[in-house]
């Protein structure tokens, strides 16, 4: 049991040591401790993966009671099934890479120990999230990663923009968390418990039960799913609650790789997969998940094509890929969603860290318009970015190919309106994905150098401590798809997942292996055309982008300005909140309540107030006298009253 | 050891210390005496906690003497699960306030200490009293030292604030006295445990409920009788704010639990919809108001009103989770808001400003301060793993069971609460360092650490192991629920709650 708990609590220990003793032990020791603990956690996680997922030794432990209030009984648990160990491996491996990478990336920063400690804190919260055996513990991890994300986005806390982005991330996530919390309450009311095992066991009997929610009678299972899904949308930046993710790029790049690409943002997908025994029972909820995922995939891709900040392009790409995962889960292909989650974690972390390597080389320049012509100067980074992009675009034999194709085939095989909708939007988004990926590569690495002379002179490959993690992730982007395909979605599906994922028959993943032959080909064709178009527009005929932006100006503006969602929310929620606050304060409290209440009365007794202030003589016996007299007067009045009433 | 009259010792030791201070002339001795005695009281409170029996809902450490035999008035004290933590909280925060004031209060220090000692007597007495007249004396007695603390050691508008505080509370107390007298007339006793058993006529219950409500609602404070609190906090010295937020606000919630619910169960059910709606208004309204404040203390004061909204909400759901959550929220808020006022006091002592725009970027020069502030900020936001989460979450769970609309609207407090607290933290601690005086402030000193570090640990420990509180209060809450539910349902006359979320 101890060894099972170690991967979860080693990062916590690393956080505490690095945070509390950073002054005493220094930056280097803090880096060493956090990295060493993470490597150990990753090693144990891999061992657990072999033991639990491959050998089938699913188990769970109860560590300690947490909140016990009548029937509401929640403990600190440790649930080890295939789903959690897969997540544990992804989290610890990517986190280890990012920890090591950060030693190099942050070496000029003056708070390196603090940075490492926050990374470890994040990892701890994420591990709590994925190993939870009940919804409230999951909520603990859920909000815990939110705080770690808040701290890391705002790591350079002397910058206004970083603070604003950190606050925005936390508050937008809180909106989603409110949905999640309401979902947890609904589970408690319906099932009398918030523990997964009880919920999963009781859910099938609840299919026909309705629940009175906000004066409406709604199917109980659907309600639970949709409320939980609101939480998932917040954390995974799905359409509507996505506005925080691009801004989160204010954080240091390793943070973007770990939190805003590989792990935290996939928590929503994990939640839907974890709750698959419930989601499977509500076709409507499944449809909603599918539509939202598909729309997010295309929405984010349209924006990604127009941005110039290298990290923002990758951020929108992340959002788009998360959309894929959601619509896979929505049509019931949970295995494919998890598969893409894993391969995406590798290649997207690779892309972010690669971008970090570029930014590092270019003296913290993030605007692609000021890059170009550097591929010969940093060939290793360039090659790794190619690997990441090929995987992202879904080119055969790279990791993304296996998972993304599986998702699209599942959507097609679902043979439902939602599935077909998602399939076609997914195909369109795949085209855009390939286009913006090569737009990024060409703008960043090729063409004439657009940076100033001074910067270009100092362009250099990153030190080995940053490159080694890139190679590890690169290996993942190359091989993760091929190696894990049989387990996640292929012939070993049932033996691998066991009861961790639940899907009603017929299993859409089985159907997905028997789709018309053009279906698996379509993503490849659009991806290749996207790459071609990228070359055409940015390498061969570089006038095209400008012309297109001019001719289709309204559309380009819409995409470039992120569909004006931020402006809309600002007008709809942020400004009205402040206005309401000011009105309540000035009109409500000051004018009405105080005006008619105490101030009105007080003005009548101003004389009394004057007397009172004269009473403040400063002699202690005056005060003592006042107190004693008051008590006596009170008692006298009391006795008199009581006598009178008898 | 546990045979001693522990509650009476805790109540009257501070008064004895007052006499000692009056006999001495030096400030030094006064400091030693007051700190020593309040620490002893804290030690006694710990002994009491140690000896407290979790398994029973009965009153423990009971002392009962005839006081005024002719009227049947008794000196009757004791604690059960509902009151025991409030006694502990009072005993915990008083020495901390004294410690905090040693650095910041320079004029009339001895009188200041006396006021706090008297205050401690009244606070512990309020929570321990089991005779309604005794309760009334203590409950109202609290007003006097608090009034003086604000009025003498307060800021520029102290007289206005002290008066406002007094006016508001006096209104409530007069009505409460009338109610207590009527109840004495009806039940022929002033003994609280006996009064709980008396079946008061449902029609009369409503009037009595409203009269008591006037007093408790002001103390909480509930919207719309909350406007005394921001002013009182702003003008009060740090110690006064800590006690005000940490203990005095809990007297309202305690009053509801001790009197309104068990003695007027029918009226409580009848008025529950109104109470829940007022709570939700408090949560949303004051959270929005907190958002636009530039005065740190005012912002935290408004946040207190919002947090107390969760308490009244939880209480009037009449669910186990709601009431457990309400009590836990009061304990947690006592620690968190007390600590937040100490936190504000730290920078106020250095810069003499409460305006958030005068600060910024102080994480550079005050890293320990920033960390402690962060913990309390997250506690106030209700992050899981801090004490703030447990109470809020349970109260919301209770509210959701009672009515999903209420659950949804109250839940929006989760978002708004995060907004104003993060805003406060960002303006004060983060951002570019624009004020050189703020950048020159020294980090927390040893005395401030003695106060803040244990509170921070408390916030985290209670967040991870809330059973430390939930276990002892469980039996009493269960008994209280029995008392309410014994009353015949009056759902017919309570139209607004028929909305309840029920499985069909």
């Amino acid at each position: 049991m101890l060894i099972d708990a170690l991967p979860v609590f080693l990062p916590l220990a690393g956080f505490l040591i690095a945070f509390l003793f950073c002054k005493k032990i220094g930056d280097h020791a803090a880096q060493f401790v956090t990295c060493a603990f993470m490597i150990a956690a990753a090693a144990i996680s891999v061992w657990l993966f072999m033991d639990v997922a491959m050998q089938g030794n699913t188990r769970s432990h109860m560590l300690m009671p947490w909140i016990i209030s009548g029937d509401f009984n929640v403990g600190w648990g440790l649930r080890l099934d295939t789903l959690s160990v897969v997540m544990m491996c992804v989290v610890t491996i990517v986190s280890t890479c990012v920890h090591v990478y950060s030693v190099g990336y942050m070496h000029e920063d003056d708070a390196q120990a603090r940075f490492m400690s926050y990374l470890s804190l994040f990892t701890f919260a994420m591990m709590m999230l994925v190993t939870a055996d009940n919804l409230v513990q999951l909520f603990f991890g859920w909000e815990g990663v939110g705080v770690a994300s808040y701290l890391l986005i705002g790591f350079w806390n002397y910058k206004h923009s970083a603070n604003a982005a950190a606050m925005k991330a936390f508050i937008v996530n809180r909106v989603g968390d409110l949905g999640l919390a309401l979902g947890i309450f609904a589970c408690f009311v319906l099932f009398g418990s918030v523990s997964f095992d009880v919920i999963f066991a009781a859910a099938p009997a609840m299919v026909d039960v309705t629940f009175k929610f906000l004066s409406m009678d709604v199917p109980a299972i659907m309600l639970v799913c949709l409320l939980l899904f609101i939480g998932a949308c917040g954390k995974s930046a799905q359409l509507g609650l996505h506005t925080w993710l691009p801004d989160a790029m204010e954080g240091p790049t390793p943070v973007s790789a770990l939190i805003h690409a590989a792990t935290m943002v996939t928590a929503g997908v994990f939640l839907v997969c974890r709750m698959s025994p419930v989601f499977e029972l509500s076709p409507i909820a499944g449809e909603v998940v599918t539509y939202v995922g598909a729309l997010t995939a295309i929405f984010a891709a349209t924006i990604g094509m127009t941005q110039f900040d290298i990290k923002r392009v990758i951020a929108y790409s992340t959002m788009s890929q998360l959309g894929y995962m959601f619509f896979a889960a929505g049509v019931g292909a949970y295995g494919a969603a998890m598969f893409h989650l894993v391969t995406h974690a590798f290649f997207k972390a690779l892309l972010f860290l690669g971008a970090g390597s570029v930014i590092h080389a270019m003296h913290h320049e993030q605007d692609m318009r000021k890059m170009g012509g550097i591929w010969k100067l940093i060939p290793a980074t360039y090659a790794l970015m190619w690997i990441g992009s090929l995987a992202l675009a879904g080119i055969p034999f790279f990791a993304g190919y296996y998972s993304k194709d599986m998702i699209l085939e599942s959507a097609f095989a679902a043979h439902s309106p939602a599935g077909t909708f998602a399939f076609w939007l997914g195909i369109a988004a795949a085209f855009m994905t390939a286009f913006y990926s090569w737009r990024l590569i060409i703008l960043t690495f090729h063409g004439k150098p657009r940076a100033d002379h001074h910067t270009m002179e100092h362009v250099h490959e990153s030190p080995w401590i940053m490159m080694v993690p890139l190679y590890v992730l690169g290996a993942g982007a190359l091989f993760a798809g091929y190696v894990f395909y049989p387990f996640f979605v292929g012939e070993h599906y049932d033996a691998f997942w066991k009861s961790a994922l639940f899907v009603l028959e017929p299993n859409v993943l089985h159907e997905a292996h028997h789709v018309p032959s053009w279906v698996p080909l379509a993503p490849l064709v659009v991806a290749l055309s996207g790459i071609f178009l990228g070359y055409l527009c940015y390498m061969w005929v570089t006038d095209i982008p400008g012309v297109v932006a001019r001719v289709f100006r309204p559309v380009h503006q819409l995409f470039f300005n992120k569909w004006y969602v931020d402006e809309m929310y600002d007008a709809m929620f942020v400004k009205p909140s402040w206005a309401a606050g000011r009105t309540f304060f000035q009109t409500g409290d000051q004018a009405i309540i105080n005006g008619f209440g105490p101030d009105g009365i007080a003005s009548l007794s101003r004389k009394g107030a004057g007397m009172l202030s004269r009473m403040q003589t400063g002699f202690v016996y005056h005060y003592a006298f006042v107190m004693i007299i008051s008590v006596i007067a009170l008692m006298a009045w009391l006795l008199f009253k009581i006598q009178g009433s008898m | 050891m546990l045979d001693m009259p522990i509650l009476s010792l805790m109540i009257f030791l501070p008064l004895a210390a007052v006499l000692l201070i009056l006999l001495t002339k030096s400030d030094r001795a006064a400091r030693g005496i007051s700190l020593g005695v309040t620490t002893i009281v804290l030690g006694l409170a710990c002994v009491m906690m140690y000896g407290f029996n979790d398994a029973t809902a009965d009153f423990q450490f009971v002392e009962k003497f005839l006081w005024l035999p002719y009227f049947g008035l008794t000196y009757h004290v004791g604690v059960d699960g509902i009151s025991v933590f409030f006694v502990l909280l009072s005993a915990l925060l008083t020495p901390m306030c004294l410690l905090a004031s040693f650095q910041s209060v320079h004029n009339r220090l001895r009188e200041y200490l006396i006021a706090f000692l008297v205050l401690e007597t009244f606070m512990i007495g309020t929570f321990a009293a089991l005779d309604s007249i005794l309760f009334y004396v203590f409950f109202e007695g609290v007003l006097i030292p608090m009034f003086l603390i604000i009025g003498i050691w307060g800021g520029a508008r102290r007289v206005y604030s002290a008066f406002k505080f007094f006016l508001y509370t006096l209104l409530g107390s007069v009505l409460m006295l009338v109610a207590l007298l009527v109840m004495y007339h009806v039940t022929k006793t002033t003994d609280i445990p006996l009064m709980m058993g008396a079946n008061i006529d449902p029609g009369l219950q409503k009037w009595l409920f409203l009269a008591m409500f006037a007093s408790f609602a002001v103390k909480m404070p509930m919207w719309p009788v909350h406007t005394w609190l921001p002013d009182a906090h702003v003008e009060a010295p740090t110690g006064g704010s800590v006690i005000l937020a940490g203990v005095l606000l809990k007297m309202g919630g305690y009053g509801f639990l001790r009197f309104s619910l068990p003695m007027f169960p029918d009226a409580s059910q009848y008025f529950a919809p109104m109470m829940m709606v007022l709570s939700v208004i408090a949560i949303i309204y004051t959270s929005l108001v907190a958002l636009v404040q530039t005065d740190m203390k005012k912002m935290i004061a408004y946040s207190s009103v919002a947090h107390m909204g969760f308490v009244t909400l939880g209480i009037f759901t009449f669910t186990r989770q709601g009431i457990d959550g309400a009590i836990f929220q009061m304990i947690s808020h006592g620690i968190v808001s007390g600590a937040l006022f100490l936190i504000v006091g730290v920078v106020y002592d250095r810069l003499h400003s409460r305006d958030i725009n005068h600060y910024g970027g102080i994480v550079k020069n005050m890293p320990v301060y920033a960390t402690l502030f962060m913990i309390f900020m997250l506690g106030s936001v209700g992050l899981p793993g801090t004490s703030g989460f447990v109470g809020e979450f349970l109260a919301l769970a209770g509210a959701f069971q009672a009515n999903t609309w209420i659950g949804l609207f109250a839940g929006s407090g989760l978002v708004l609460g995060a907004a104003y607290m993060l805003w406060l933290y960002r303006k004060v601690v983060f951002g570019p360092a624009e004020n050189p005086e703020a950048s020159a402030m020294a980090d927390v000193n040893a005395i401030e650490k003695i106060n803040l570090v244990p509170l921070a640990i408390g916030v985290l420990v209670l967040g991870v192991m809330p059973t430390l509180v939930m276990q002892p209060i469980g039996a009493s809450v269960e008994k209280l629920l029995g008392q309410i539910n014994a009353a015949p349902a009056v759902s017919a006359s309570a139209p607004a709650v028929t909305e309840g979320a029920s499985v069909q």
Side-chain angles (χ1 to χ4, degrees):
Chain A
M1 173 169 159
L2 176 69
I3 198 156
D4 289 357
L6 271 181
V8 179
F9 292 100
L10 275 176
L12 176 66
F15 158 69
L16 290 174
I17 293 170
F19 187 81
L20 293 177
F21 305 116
C22 58
K23 281 257 173 60
K24 289 207 181 76
I25 61 176
D27 284 344
H28 287 296
Q31 284 163 343
F32 179 78
V33 168
T34 47
C35 289
F37 280 19
M38 275 317 304
I39 291 170
I44 301 170
S45 297
V46 171
W47 176 78
L48 283 174
F49 177 79
M50 300 311 284
D51 193 43
V52 174
M54 297 304 192
Q55 308 287 327
N57 295 322
T58 302
R59 55 186 176 266
S60 62
H61 305 290
M62 171 78 180
L63 302 178
M64 211 174 74
W66 185 20
I67 303 174
I68 301 174
S69 169
D71 301 333
F72 192 88
N73 190 333
V74 175
W76 296 103
L78 189 62
R79 179 189 176 99
L80 295 175
D81 60 5
T82 305
L83 196 56
S84 40
V85 292
V86 164
M87 289 302 288
M88 286 169 83
C89 282
V90 170
V91 172
T92 52
I93 291 171
V94 176
S95 180
T96 305
C97 288
V98 169
H99 269 79
V100 174
Y101 181 93
S102 302
V103 173
Y105 190 84
M106 301 296 285
H107 78 278
E108 284 171 347
D109 204 276
D110 50 11
Q112 294 173 54
R114 189 161 59 90
F115 185 75
M116 301 305 282
S117 73
Y118 288 172
L119 286 181
S120 288
L121 172 68
F122 165 78
T123 312
F124 164 67
M126 193 70 203
M127 295 295 268
M128 288 299 280
L129 193 165
V130 300
T131 58
D133 76 343
N134 62 72
L135 281 166
V136 182
Q137 187 187 343
L138 182 135
F139 194 73
F140 168 87
W142 194 267
E143 293 236 300
V145 291
V147 165
S149 161
Y150 161 79
L151 291 171
L152 283 163
I153 296 170
F155 183 73
W156 288 314
N157 54 42
Y158 46 83
K159 282 165 65 180
H160 274 311
S161 56
N163 288 327
M167 255 187 85
K168 185 174 174 184
F170 196 91
I171 292 167
V172 175
N173 265 295
R174 265 266 158 143
V175 176
D177 292 357
L178 172 59
L180 180 55
L182 292 176
I184 295 173
F185 301 146
C187 277
F188 174 61
V189 173
L190 277 173
F191 304 112
S193 170
V194 290
S195 105
F196 291 135
D197 286 328
V198 178
I199 294 173
F200 297 165
M206 292 283 178
V207 171
D208 297 320
V209 174
T210 60
F211 185 88
K212 191 136 192 157
F213 183 71
L214 305 185
S215 311
M216 296 174 289
D217 278 315
V218 289
I221 295 283
M222 185 195 84
L223 177 75
V224 167
C225 291
L226 292 182
L227 288 173
L228 294 179
F229 181 61
I230 293 174
C233 282
K235 203 52 81 193
S236 296
Q238 292 301 287
L239 200 58
L241 293 175
H242 65 281
T243 55
W244 64 273
L245 182 60
D247 290 24
M249 297 300 122
E250 283 290 338
T253 309
V255 174
S256 314
L258 175 62
I259 300 183
H260 307 120
T263 55
M264 183 185 86
V265 289
T266 61
V269 182
F270 168 78
L271 174 66
V272 174
C273 292
R274 171 58 88 205
M275 297 300 287
S276 58
V278 185
F279 273 83
E280 272 302 286
L281 300 175
S282 172
I284 300 176
E287 273 175 36
V288 172
V289 175
T290 309
Y291 281 118
V292 172
L295 287 172
T296 307
I298 192 109
F299 171 84
T302 58
I303 303 174
M305 292 192 299
T306 60
Q307 300 298 307
F308 287 106
D309 183 316
I310 185 168
K311 283 178 72 182
R312 282 188 183 240
V313 174
I314 310 179
Y316 279 108
S317 153
T318 302
M319 192 178 143
S320 171
Q321 299 302 309
L322 289 167
Y324 278 90
M325 297 175 210
F326 272 108
F327 75 69
V331 298
Y334 302 100
M338 286 305 296
F339 191 26
H340 199 53
L341 189 159
V342 172
T343 59
H344 174 261
F346 285 108
F347 65 70
K348 193 50 68 66
L350 173 67
L351 281 172
F352 260 121
L353 293 185
S357 186
V358 172
I359 295 167
H360 189 75
M362 304 288 293
H363 276 278
H364 298 281
E365 180 57 64
Q366 299 192 10
D367 190 332
M368 295 191 293
R369 285 170 295 194
K370 294 181 185 155
M371 296 179 180
I374 54 173
W375 69 276
K376 277 185 182 156
L377 300 172
I378 45 174
T381 303
Y382 177 63
L384 287 160
M385 288 295 276
W386 258 88
I387 294 175
S389 299
L390 288 167
L392 171 61
I395 302 303
F397 314 117
F398 290 87
Y401 164 74
Y402 296 94
S403 51
K404 193 192 265 183
D405 267 27
M406 203 61 225
I407 287 179
L408 289 169
E409 286 157 29
S410 309
F412 185 87
H415 294 299
S416 62
T420 311
F421 177 80
F423 172 76
W424 287 111
L425 288 197
I427 293 284
F431 172 75
M432 296 181 195
T433 305
F435 172 73
Y436 64 64
S437 296
W438 265 264
R439 174 178 176 267
L440 182 146
I441 284 190
I442 295 162
L443 279 177
T444 306
F445 292 100
H446 292 277
K448 278 204 198 87
R450 294 180 296 274
D452 59 55
H453 183 66
H454 175 73
T455 309
M456 287 305 290
E457 262 183 357
H458 290 89
V459 172
H460 55 281
E461 198 66 91
S462 300
W464 66 270
I465 199 153
M466 288 167 68
M467 293 312 284
V468 171
L470 283 177
Y471 292 129
V472 173
L473 294 171
L478 280 172
F479 303 117
Y482 176 74
V483 171
F484 291 115
Y485 180 85
F487 300 100
F488 278 77
V489 291
E491 64 260 39
H492 304 310
Y493 177 92
D494 292 318
F496 180 74
W497 290 111
K498 297 172 279 289
S499 57
L501 293 180
F502 172 82
V503 59
L504 290 177
E505 291 303 325
N507 188 337
V508 70
L509 274 173
H510 296 163
E511 307 287 306
H513 293 293
H514 312 287
V515 288
S517 54
W518 65 268
V519 172
L521 268 178
L524 179 60
V525 171
V526 295
L528 290 174
S529 355
I531 296 173
F532 174 78
L533 188 68
Y535 268 99
L536 183 73
C537 291
Y538 291 93
M539 191 84 133
W540 301 324
V541 193
T542 49
D543 295 336
I544 297 179
V547 173
V548 172
R550 258 198 311 283
V551 174
F552 298 102
R553 189 180 154 73
V555 179
H556 179 264
Q557 283 296 309
L558 182 69
F559 292 175
F560 186 71
N561 290 304
K562 305 166 276 184
W563 296 62
Y564 300 100
V565 177
D566 275 317
E567 287 76 4
M568 220 160 71
Y569 283 180
D570 202 44
M572 279 164 63
F573 302 114
V574 181
K575 285 200 181 110
S577 295
W578 285 85
R582 242 171 260 126
T583 313
F584 287 156
F585 180 54
Q586 284 158 1
T587 314
D589 269 24
Q590 310 275 44
I592 298 176
I593 298 177
N594 278 348
F596 288 99
D599 286 356
I601 300 167
S603 67
L604 291 175
S605 54
R606 192 160 295 150
K607 268 187 188 168
M611 262 172 63
L612 189 87
S613 55
R614 277 199 298 281
M615 272 166 59
Q616 287 165 15
T617 53
F619 296 108
V620 69
Y621 58 84
H622 283 187
Y623 301 132
F625 180 73
V626 168
M627 283 184 220
I628 291 162
I629 288 293
S630 311
V631 173
I632 291 172
L634 216 61
M635 290 309 299
W637 187 25
L638 263 174
L639 293 174
F640 177 73
K641 277 276 176 185
I642 291 166
Q643 235 162 0
S645 72
M646 279 169 78
Chain B
M1 189 178 183
L2 293 172
D3 294 337
M4 59 188 176
I6 196 161
L7 286 171
S8 290
L9 278 175
M10 290 168 70
I11 294 170
F12 293 108
L13 269 181
L15 280 188
V18 169
L19 290 177
L20 273 179
I21 289 177
L22 289 175
L23 290 175
T24 63
K25 289 279 173 216
S26 81
D27 279 0
R28 246 185 99 85
R31 279 182 193 160
I33 293 166
S34 59
L35 194 62
V37 169
T38 51
T39 311
I40 292 171
V41 172
L42 176 59
L44 287 171
C46 294
V47 171
M48 173 192 72
M49 276 319 301
Y50 177 77
F52 188 81
N53 180 0
D54 294 354
T56 172
D58 295 336
F59 288 99
Q60 305 177 35
F61 307 101
V62 173
E63 297 163 44
K64 190 170 184 179
F65 319 101
L66 278 181
W67 179 25
L68 295 170
Y70 179 72
F71 306 107
L73 290 186
T74 52
Y75 173 83
H76 187 184
V77 293
V79 288
D80 66 350
I82 289 169
S83 54
V84 67
F85 281 101
F86 296 113
V87 174
L88 180 66
L89 192 65
S90 311
L92 173 72
L93 289 178
T94 310
M96 290 186 162
C97 291
L98 296 180
L99 257 186
S101 56
F102 289 167
Q103 325 187 53
S104 54
V105 174
H106 300 295
N107 65 323
R108 301 177 184 169
L109 179 68
R110 278 151 33 98
E111 289 85 335
Y112 184 83
L113 298 176
I114 289 172
F116 266 94
L117 289 166
V118 174
L119 190 57
E120 181 168 33
T121 291
F122 287 152
M123 290 189 303
I124 295 179
T126 303
F127 294 122
L130 289 182
D131 181 275
S132 61
I133 298 303
L134 190 64
F135 171 84
Y136 183 80
V137 171
F138 286 131
F139 187 85
E140 298 305 332
V142 165
L143 261 181
I144 299 164
M146 200 63 209
F147 175 73
L148 294 176
I149 288 168
I150 298 172
I152 297 172
W153 291 276
R157 296 176 73 219
R158 57 180 184 265
V159 175
Y160 168 78
S161 299
F163 231 77
K164 201 168 178 182
F165 169 68
F166 205 88
L167 260 176
Y168 259 117
T169 3
L170 202 69
L171 166 87
S173 51
V174 172
L175 290 170
M176 179 157 113
L177 184 64
V178 173
L180 287 177
L181 293 173
V182 172
M183 284 162 73
Y184 176 67
H185 187 72
V186 174
T187 64
K188 304 291 176 221
T189 178
T190 58
D191 193 64
I192 291 175
L194 290 177
M195 286 161 81
M196 285 179 188
N199 286 318
I200 302 172
D201 169 63
L204 182 61
Q205 277 188 25
K206 285 180 196 166
W207 292 106
L208 293 173
F209 181 96
L210 286 177
M212 298 292 256
F213 166 77
S215 183
F216 299 145
V218 168
K219 270 268 166 32
M220 283 299 297
M222 292 177 74
W223 184 87
V225 286
H226 63 282
T227 61
W228 62 271
L229 185 71
D231 286 310
H233 268 308
V234 164
E235 300 306 330
T238 299
S241 284
V242 172
I243 288 292
L244 191 55
V247 182
L248 262 54
L249 299 194
K250 313 303 175 292
M251 290 181 174
Y254 173 73
F256 282 125
L257 291 169
R258 180 61 81 226
F259 289 89
S260 305
L261 261 59
M263 294 179 197
F264 327 126
D266 303 278
S268 296
Q269 296 202 2
Y270 179 80
F271 287 113
M274 175 188 87
M275 298 299 287
M276 285 199 250
V277 168
L278 287 179
S279 308
V280 169
I281 294 176
I283 291 169
I284 296 176
Y285 179 106
T286 50
S287 292
L288 287 169
V289 173
L291 197 60
V292 299
Q293 300 304 316
T294 52
D295 183 314
M296 288 195 254
K297 277 184 141 184
K298 237 179 196 174
M299 193 183 260
I300 301 172
Y302 274 111
S303 88
S304 290
V305 183
H307 282 123
M308 289 299 108
F310 283 104
V311 173
T312 40
L313 177 65
I315 290 174
F316 284 89
T317 62
F318 308 129
T319 58
R320 176 73 193 268
Q321 288 76 36
I323 294 179
D324 272 355
I327 296 175
F328 198 93
Q329 171 84 341
M330 285 196 268
I331 306 295
S332 162
H333 180 263
I335 298 173
V336 171
S337 71
L340 281 172
F341 281 113
L342 286 172
I343 281 281
V344 173
V346 169
V347 287
Y348 185 79
D349 284 348
R350 287 161 175 67
L351 209 60
H352 297 288
S353 167
R354 295 183 309 263
D355 189 335
I356 55 175
N357 295 312
H358 291 168
Y359 295 88
I362 63 173
V363 61
K364 263 251 179 297
N365 46 314
M366 304 177 79
V368 179
Y369 176 81
T371 305
L372 291 165
F373 194 172
M374 173 70 73
I375 293 173
F376 300 125
M377 183 269 276
L378 292 175
S380 176
V381 165
L383 187 84
T386 66
S387 61
F389 169 71
V390 183
E392 230 168 71
F393 197 75
L394 285 176
L396 280 175
F400 189 87
Q401 290 170 60
N403 184 314
T404 49
W405 281 108
I406 297 281
L408 177 72
F409 283 117
S412 67
L414 292 180
V415 180
L416 296 170
Y420 62 74
M421 283 314 287
L422 292 183
W423 176 247
L424 169 70
Y425 194 82
R426 174 184 167 190
K427 290 293 279 184
V428 174
V429 179
F430 287 159
E434 276 155 358
N435 181 354
E437 284 176 42
S439 309
M441 293 191 297
D443 209 342
V444 283
N445 61 30
I447 290 183
E448 287 158 348
K449 271 189 204 165
I450 292 175
N451 268 348
L452 292 170
V453 172
L455 290 175
I457 293 173
V459 169
L460 296 175
V461 167
L462 286 185
V464 177
M465 292 189 282
T467 41
L468 292 174
V469 172
M470 311 294 267
Q471 189 71 28
I473 68 176
S476 298
V477 172
E478 206 53 52
K479 182 181 165 199
L480 177 62
L481 280 170
Q483 286 164 335
I484 306 162
N485 295 332
V490 285
S491 53
S493 52
V497 201
T498 51
E499 178 66 37
S502 57
V503 181
Q504 293 170 358

